[in-house]
């Protein structure tokens, strides 16, 4: 069965420090992978996506993620965190069935940023 | 370009009542999906509508039903509300037309309708 695991429920970093959020997926075919961010009381905003090709993808707000097929991972990174990055981050895999798609999400990682 | 819009933003119901949530997709999109996000959890897929028919369904009971209109907008209905139905309900739109490798499944989400069941 398809699934997404985000091993870290909470992460706290200092402003200016680097960040890596982990994501592991289980999916039999070539995955479509996504990272979304959710601020309190808000919907989901797409940070970046991987469909094919270059395994290092760039997103908005200075985020990047690397797809590693051998490790079934799609970790999100940012070299220098800003206080405004405090939010909840969700990794998701796109599951295709009969031409239609749905997303399976991980449980999320809540990021706190210390000044 | 209007994004995905949902209404109402917040509502409170009591157990046993029924609720209807509404969604207008992003301009140019033809498919609407609904997700339930319980507190502290990731969104869970409820169902997806395309061409006014339910195309996929997640593991949700028949109390959850939906509809898609000719203008692609959609409603989510929940009957016989339970306390456990309290959640943020997210609508997402996408473009299915041109299915195949070009259909990458990218979803655009609204800000959600927060339902509290007392």
């Amino acid at each position: 069965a398809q699934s997404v695991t985000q091993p870290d429920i909470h992460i706290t970093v200092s402003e200016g420090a680097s960040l890596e959020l982990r994501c592991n997926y289980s999916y039999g075919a070539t995955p479509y992978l996504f990272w979304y961010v959710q601020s309190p009381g808000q919907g989901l905003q797409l940070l970046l996506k991987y469909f094919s090709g270059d395994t290092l993808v760039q997103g908005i707000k200075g985020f990047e993620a690397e797809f590693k097929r051998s490790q079934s991972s799609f970790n999100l990174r940012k070299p220098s965190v800003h206080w405004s990055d405090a939010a909840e981050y969700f990794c998701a895999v796109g599951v295709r069935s009969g031409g239609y798609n749905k997303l399976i999400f991980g449980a999320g990682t809540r990021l706190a940023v210390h000044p | 370009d209007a994004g995905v819009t949902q209404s109402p933003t917040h509502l409170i119901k009591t157990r046993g009542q029924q609720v209807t949530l509404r969604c207008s997709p992003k301009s140019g999109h033809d498919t609407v999906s609904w997700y339930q996000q319980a507190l502290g959890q990731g969104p869970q897929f409820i169902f997806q509508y395309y061409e006014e028919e339910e195309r996929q369904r997640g593991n949700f009971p028949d109390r959850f039903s939906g509809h898609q209109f000719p203008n692609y907008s959609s409603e989510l209905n929940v009957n016989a509300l339970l306390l456990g139905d309290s959640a943020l309900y997210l609508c997402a739109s996408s473009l299915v037309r041109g299915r195949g490798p070009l259909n990458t499944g990218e979803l655009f989400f609204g800000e959600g309708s927060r339902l509290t069941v007392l």
Side-chain angles (χ1 to χ4, degrees), chain A residues 6 21 23 25 31-33 36 41 44 53 56 58-59 62-63 65-68 71 74-75 82 89 96 107:
Chain A
Q6 293 181 247
L21 301 183
C23 172
Y25 68 90
Y32 294 157
L33 295 164
Y36 284 86
L44 299 172
L56 184 64
Q58 302 297 320
F63 285 92
E66 186 172 12
F67 169 58
K68 293 185 178 180
Q71 299 177 19
F74 189 56
N75 294 348
H82 188 262
Y89 292 80
R96 298 178 294 281

Side-chain angles (χ1 to χ4, degrees), chain B residues 20-72:
Chain B
T20 297
L21 308 177
R22 296 175 176 82
C23 172
S24 293
K26 179 179 170 64
S27 179
H29 283 183
D30 57 7
T31 303
V32 171
S33 303
W34 287 92
Y35 288 77
Q36 180 195 64
Q37 185 179 17
L39 197 61
Q41 298 182 23
Q44 301 287 320
F45 175 73
I46 302 176
F47 43 52
Q48 181 182 72
Y49 278 83
Y50 171 68
E51 291 187 337
E52 304 177 49
E53 290 190 17
E54 184 182 291
R55 300 294 178 170
Q56 288 194 86
R57 188 178 184 91
N59 189 24
F60 279 81
D62 292 345
R63 297 186 298 109
F64 289 77
S65 64
H67 189 77
Q68 186 180 35
F69 300 94
N71 67 352
Y72 307 119

Side-chain angles (χ1 to χ4, degrees), chain A residues 32 51 96 99 101, chain B residues 95-106:
Chain A
Y32 294 157
F51 295 147
R96 298 178 294 281
N101 299 278
Chain B
L95 182 64
V96 169
R97 204 166 13 151
R99 272 180 279 163
L102 293 178
N103 180 9
T104 56
E106 181 174 351

Side-chain angles (χ1 to χ4, degrees), chain A residues 13-114:
Chain A
V13 299
S14 298
E15 191 169 18
S18 64
L19 172 70
E20 182 169 23
L21 301 183
R22 295 183 292 165
C23 172
N24 293 98
Y25 68 90
S26 173
Y27 186 56
T30 301
Y32 294 157
L33 295 164
F34 306 82
W35 276 99
Y36 284 86
V37 61
Q38 186 177 39
S39 297
Q42 301 293 311
L44 299 172
Q45 181 184 21
L46 180 66
L47 283 176
L48 48 77
K49 56 186 180 284
Y50 170 78
F51 295 147
S52 64
D54 193 347
T55 56
L56 184 64
V57 295
Q58 302 297 320
I60 62 172
K61 304 183 179 185
F63 285 92
E64 66 178 26
E66 186 172 12
F67 169 58
K68 293 185 178 180
R69 184 186 300 275
S70 62
Q71 299 177 19
S72 297
S73 69
F74 189 56
N75 294 348
L76 182 71
R77 301 193 294 249
K78 186 169 185 178
S80 178
V81 171
H82 188 262
W83 64 266
S84 61
D85 293 324
E88 185 131 27
Y89 292 80
F90 293 96
C91 180
V93 62
V95 175
R96 298 178 294 281
S97 174
Y100 301 97
N101 299 278
K102 65 180 180 184
L103 295 183
I104 294 178
F105 287 87
T109 297
R110 182 167 298 278
L111 174 66
V113 180
H114 280 179

